[in-house]
Amino acid sequence: MDFEKVRNVIAETLGCDVEDVVKEAKLTDDLGADSLASVELVMALEEATGVSIDDDSLPNMKTVGDIMDYLTAHQD
């Protein structure tokens, strides 16, 4: 999974600086994602990557690294 692609989707969707989107960044605390933004982010990531993100998995994704791990594990 291409980190730069995912990084750009996250920055665009959450309205944060690309430089702030690092694997250790917490989605809520560091990048300002609330529950609505998280849903929008899932939809944007699914569209950009073609990977379906299970609703049950979303609460476990606390950091950018968690998202990358999920996308990498579930890509075709």
Side-chain angles (χ1 to χ4, degrees):
M1 187 57 55
D2 182 19
F3 179 67
E4 288 302 315
K5 179 179 182 179
V6 172
R7 185 181 194 193
N8 288 330
V9 170
I10 293 171
E12 184 177 318
T13 305
L14 299 182
C16 58
D17 291 332
V18 173
E19 296 80 29
D20 293 337
V21 183
V22 294
K23 291 187 178 185
E24 300 79 28
K26 293 183 178 81
L27 297 174
T28 52
D29 296 342
D30 299 329
L31 304 179
D34 58 15
S35 57
L36 179 59
S38 296
V39 172
E40 292 174 354
L41 180 58
V42 166
M43 293 188 319
L45 288 167
E46 287 178 336
E47 185 176 322
T49 64
V51 175
S52 180
I53 299 174
D54 186 32
D55 289 340
D56 294 337
S57 299
L58 184 59
N60 300 325
M61 293 187 216
K62 306 283 187 207
T63 67
V64 174
D66 293 341
I67 291 174
M68 286 303 302
D69 292 344
Y70 183 91
L71 294 173
T72 302
H74 292 85
Q75 66 186 349
D76 291 333

